[in-house]
Amino acid sequence: MNQITTIKLNAPYLIFLGEVTDAMSAKTGAGLVQWCPEKVAGQLRTHADSVDLGVPDMTVEQAVAAGAKSLVIGVALVGGEINRQWAEIINQAAASGLDIVSGLHTPLGDVPGLVETAANSGIRLINVRRAPENLPVGNGKKRSGKRVLMVGTDCAVGKKYTALALTKALNEAGVQATFRATGQTGMMIAGEGIPIDSVKSDFISGAAELISPGNDTAHWDVIEGQGSLFNPSYAGVSLGLLHGSQPDAIVLCHDASRQIVSSCADYVLPAIDECIDLHLRCARLTNPAVICIGVSVNTSGLPADQRDTYLHELSLKIGLPCVDPLVEECELLVQQLNQLNSV
Amino acid sequence: MNQITTIKLNAPYLIFLGEVTDAMSAKTGAGLVQWCPEKVAGQLRTHADSVDLGVPDMTVEQAVAAGAKSLVIGVALVGGEINRQWAEIINQAAASGLDIVSGLHTPLGDVPGLVETAANSGIRLINVRRAPENLPVGNGKKRSGKRVLMVGTDCAVGKKYTALALTKALNEAGVQATFRATGQTGMMIAGEGIPIDSVKSDFISGAAELISPGNDTAHWDVIEGQGSLFNPSYAGVSLGLLHGSQPDAIVLCHDASRQIVSSCADYVLPAIDECIDLHLRCARLTNPAVICIGVSVNTSGLPADQRDTYLHELSLKIGLPCVDPLVEECELLVQQLNQLNSV
């Protein structure tokens, strides 16, 4: 039986942008350039006015010559489809020996000719939305190393961004730390991971255990969170991830302008202190020593002159550091984790 | 787009028992005879000493003549495989117009010739371990009707049994009530359901919402539970099911002889009151009025002369009715639900 692992991607990447002209549709590619520039060989644009990520333009041949290992679809069209006009270039990349990596809804196997091309050239077609088969059931066994998990008052409140910013800040402070991805864009940035929301529900915590394996005692895994225990659509994902991650620390992520649960219009967002309390209570099952080290708030929806006041008042109310990693460093969170490391 | 529903089975059933001689391996078939005798046309045994469920022996031809609609595999061999020697009879049943229903690990599509036979005769191959595709995301919207969900201190503590016994007791008391299945054996008994542990984790609560749809105001859905919020392997399933079920009431199920979590040897079982408290706290997200109406205890692992004392002392300690549905009626639980109905 093969060893079961996370999905692992081969860098460097050639980022495919096609004919897309709006920056929003190219945010996957932009995220790669922002968070893992060392993995990016270049970009492939099919038109002169395609989005420009500021990295070298390359043809497939040039990328292969430069050592690229994967063509990563860096754009998402409305509906998540793979444009059939892209099929020729994707087939060419596969024939040239590049793995093809996609986070779109359309499976790569649906791209005309691509399955045959991949079989002939021996490259992998990697749909990062799809969980690996044969994941283990969670066993709850204590692992070495330290873990901090992003949790949230809702979906899409900045958990991935916070995890990436905190990992960067830890590394800059000389702390061993690795970003651990649980969603498709995070996986492309990390170069590995499991899309935990597509795992069969019996295996959520087992997948989470694989995502942050045992490590050096002083090493921090900084784990991308998903959903919220207070989101009636996705709380099961959040709880399995919380248990399997066995976090020593959690960071609560919140969007200051969010009032209503994103997927459920009948539900108001939980209070910050209540949300921290329930996440800690549940997390204690697999790590009785877990603490919350702070709140990461996306304040971009507030008037600029109210942001500092909001963070300061929230911090006084709950007695924890509250930061917006988009506008300041994660220094306060790094300090908290360093205190845990010295225990 | 087709309407998305639970998996629906066609009764009456012909229960296939093959050459199996031990009762434990035939417990799926025995459960059908115990809990839904009205759905059972007969049994198909291939040897004189095969397990006998006490229902009429029938060939495929006799079952079809008697109006049977499905051949249900009523046995499970070690490893969950489908015996290749069964292929001939299963193909014959499919060719004769019976749907084939299996809860085994081996998909029915792997039975030699069966996919072709099914295509030719137009019958369905139903793997009740496999969740339907295209399930919806949970929306958290309040539904009409009343719901009681079995929750547990662990897996395999009697949640299905309690739900079935409670449904029967409610019906006998003249209360409209329907057993709602979330696992494979329960689905065969109910004739429909979704195997919630095989649903992709983004869709757990959405599947739970489908399992117990809106109903008459006085009608009770009695929902089979799965896992436990205190089981580090499966708590995600339990939370999604809890949220999507929107229960008005929960019954905590427990095995009096269980000390350690079944799938995780490092974990002791939670205290009963703590377990009720966390399940209620989480359940309030989608139904703020939820209450716990009692505890269902499997006392079969206790000495016979200690069972009453155990139930009595537990009941005094937590202030709720505690019953063992294997040895007594569910009358106390029925009374609790009737009180809720009169509110």
Side-chain angles (χ1 to χ4, degrees):
Chain A
M1 192 170 168
N2 292 329
Q3 196 191 350
I4 298 161
T5 67
T6 58
I7 296 170
K8 294 183 192 300
L9 309 179
N10 289 328
Y13 304 150
L14 174 62
I15 302 178
F16 180 80
L17 298 168
E19 74 285 8
V20 168
T21 54
D22 67 301
M24 266 307 288
S25 298
K27 67 178 183 176
T28 298
L32 297 175
V33 172
Q34 177 180 8
W35 291 109
C36 60
E38 75 286 358
K39 290 193 174 81
V40 177
Q43 62 187 356
L44 196 165
R45 307 187 304 146
T46 56
H47 289 69
D49 60 351
S50 300
V51 167
D52 185 348
L53 301 177
V55 295
D57 282 306
M58 292 182 175
T59 62
V60 167
E61 294 85 346
Q62 289 168 334
V64 170
K69 300 285 186 240
S70 300
L71 179 83
V72 176
I73 312 293
V75 286
L77 302 183
V78 174
E81 304 284 316
I82 288 182
N83 188 325
R84 292 298 170 111
Q85 298 171 333
W86 301 350
E88 189 179 339
I89 290 174
I90 295 175
N91 270 286
Q92 184 200 351
S96 304
L98 299 183
D99 286 347
I100 311 296
V101 178
S102 166
L104 302 183
H105 277 291
T106 308
L108 287 167
D110 287 1
V111 176
L114 190 56
V115 170
E116 296 78 2
T117 306
N120 289 335
S121 69
I123 61 92
R124 300 181 300 160
L125 302 180
I126 304 176
N127 295 289
V128 290
R129 270 182 193 273
R130 295 221 176 157
E133 297 292 323
N134 299 319
L135 290 167
V137 167
N139 61 41
K141 287 184 185 156
K142 181 77 181 159
R143 305 191 292 285
S144 55
K146 288 187 152 50
R147 287 162 193 86
V148 54
L149 172 69
M150 307 304 111
V151 301
T153 52
D154 196 4
C155 302
V157 291
K159 290 187 282 284
K160 181 175 78 239
Y161 190 97
T162 303
L164 287 162
L166 180 55
T167 307
K168 186 161 178 264
L170 284 165
N171 285 329
E172 287 171 359
V175 179
Q176 290 184 58
T178 307
F179 168 71
R180 297 296 184 183
T182 62
Q184 51 188 346
T185 304
M187 289 168 63
M188 292 176 180
I189 294 168
E192 68 172 312
I194 293 175
I196 195 123
D197 59 7
S198 75
V199 169
K200 280 188 187 178
S201 56
D202 249 3
F203 303 100
I204 308 173
S205 66
E209 291 176 359
L210 276 187
I211 287 167
S212 70
N215 213 316
D216 295 343
T217 308
H219 178 278
W220 281 95
D221 268 350
V222 184
I223 306 167
E224 179 188 9
Q226 296 290 340
S228 167
L229 294 183
F230 290 86
N231 182 306
S233 309
Y234 304 118
V237 182
S238 308
L239 184 59
L241 178 58
L242 184 63
H243 284 163
S245 296
Q246 302 179 358
D248 302 278
I250 60 173
V251 174
L252 181 68
C253 302
H254 177 60
D255 181 334
S257 61
R258 187 83 54 91
Q259 308 291 334
I260 302 295
V261 171
S262 52
S263 56
C264 299
D266 299 339
Y267 290 80
V268 297
L269 238 57
I272 298 286
D273 52 356
E274 185 188 359
C275 193
I276 292 172
D277 185 69
L278 184 61
H279 279 89
L280 286 177
R281 180 169 175 185
C282 292
R284 285 188 196 106
L285 180 69
T286 59
N287 191 339
V290 62
I291 62 168
C292 179
I293 59 161
V295 182
S296 171
V297 187
N298 179 344
T299 61
S300 61
L302 298 181
D305 61 354
Q306 292 180 18
R307 293 176 190 172
D308 285 350
T309 305
Y310 180 97
L311 292 170
H312 182 64
E313 288 182 353
L314 181 60
S315 184
L316 286 177
K317 183 179 172 199
I318 64 170
L320 289 170
C322 298
V323 300
D324 184 341
L326 269 160
V327 294
E328 60 192 314
E329 298 298 317
C330 289
E331 183 56 33
L332 289 172
L333 300 178
V334 171
Q335 288 172 12
Q336 297 278 316
L337 293 181
N338 274 334
Q339 286 176 11
L340 279 182
N341 248 3
S342 63
V343 172
Chain B
M1 192 170 168
N2 293 329
Q3 196 190 351
I4 299 161
T5 67
T6 58
I7 295 170
K8 294 184 193 300
L9 309 180
N10 289 328
Y13 305 149
L14 173 63
I15 303 178
F16 180 79
L17 298 168
E19 74 286 8
V20 168
T21 54
D22 66 303
M24 266 307 289
S25 298
K27 67 178 184 178
T28 298
L32 297 175
V33 172
Q34 177 180 8
W35 291 110
C36 59
E38 76 285 358
K39 290 193 174 80
V40 177
Q43 63 187 355
L44 197 165
R45 307 187 304 146
T46 56
H47 289 69
D49 60 351
S50 299
V51 168
D52 184 350
L53 301 178
V55 295
D57 283 306
M58 292 182 175
T59 62
V60 167
E61 294 85 348
Q62 290 167 334
V64 170
K69 300 285 187 238
S70 300
L71 179 83
V72 175
I73 312 293
V75 286
L77 301 184
V78 174
E81 303 285 315
I82 288 182
N83 188 325
R84 292 299 171 111
Q85 299 171 331
W86 302 349
E88 189 179 339
I89 291 174
I90 295 175
N91 270 286
Q92 183 200 351
S96 303
L98 298 183
D99 285 348
I100 310 296
V101 178
S102 166
L104 302 183
H105 278 289
T106 308
L108 286 167
D110 287 1
V111 176
L114 190 55
V115 171
E116 295 78 2
T117 306
N120 289 336
S121 69
I123 61 92
R124 300 180 301 160
L125 302 180
I126 304 176
N127 295 289
V128 290
R129 270 182 193 273
R130 296 221 176 156
E133 297 291 323
N134 300 318
L135 290 168
V137 167
N139 60 41
K141 288 184 184 156
K142 181 77 181 161
R143 304 191 291 286
S144 55
K146 288 187 152 50
R147 287 164 194 84
V148 54
L149 172 68
M150 307 305 110
V151 301
T153 52
D154 197 4
C155 302
V157 290
K159 290 187 281 285
K160 181 175 78 238
Y161 189 97
T162 304
L164 287 162
L166 181 55
T167 307
K168 186 161 179 265
L170 284 165
N171 285 329
E172 287 171 359
V175 179
Q176 290 183 59
T178 307
F179 168 70
R180 297 296 185 184
T182 62
Q184 51 189 344
T185 303
M187 290 168 64
M188 292 177 181
I189 294 168
E192 68 172 312
I194 294 174
I196 194 123
D197 59 8
S198 76
V199 169
K200 280 187 186 178
S201 56
D202 249 4
F203 304 100
I204 309 172
S205 67
E209 292 175 359
L210 277 187
I211 288 167
S212 70
N215 214 315
D216 296 342
T217 308
H219 177 278
W220 281 96
D221 268 349
V222 184
I223 306 168
E224 179 188 7
Q226 295 291 339
S228 167
L229 294 184
F230 290 86
N231 181 307
S233 309
Y234 304 118
V237 182
S238 309
L239 185 59
L241 177 58
L242 185 64
H243 283 163
S245 297
Q246 302 179 357
D248 302 278
I250 60 173
V251 174
L252 181 68
C253 302
H254 177 59
D255 180 334
S257 61
R258 188 83 55 90
Q259 308 290 335
I260 301 295
V261 172
S262 51
S263 55
C264 299
D266 299 339
Y267 290 79
V268 297
L269 238 58
I272 299 286
D273 51 356
E274 185 188 0
C275 194
I276 292 172
D277 185 70
L278 183 61
H279 280 90
L280 286 177
R281 180 170 175 184
C282 291
R284 285 188 196 107
L285 180 69
T286 59
N287 191 339
V290 63
I291 63 168
C292 180
I293 59 161
V295 182
S296 171
V297 187
N298 179 345
T299 61
S300 62
L302 298 181
D305 62 353
Q306 292 179 19
R307 293 176 190 170
D308 286 349
T309 306
Y310 179 97
L311 292 170
H312 182 64
E313 288 182 352
L314 181 60
S315 184
L316 286 177
K317 183 179 171 197
I318 64 172
L320 288 170
C322 298
V323 300
D324 183 340
L326 269 161
V327 294
E328 60 194 313
E329 298 298 316
C330 288
E331 183 55 32
L332 290 171
L333 300 178
V334 171
Q335 288 172 11
Q336 297 279 314
L337 293 181
N338 275 334
Q339 286 176 11
L340 278 181
N341 248 5
S342 63
V343 172

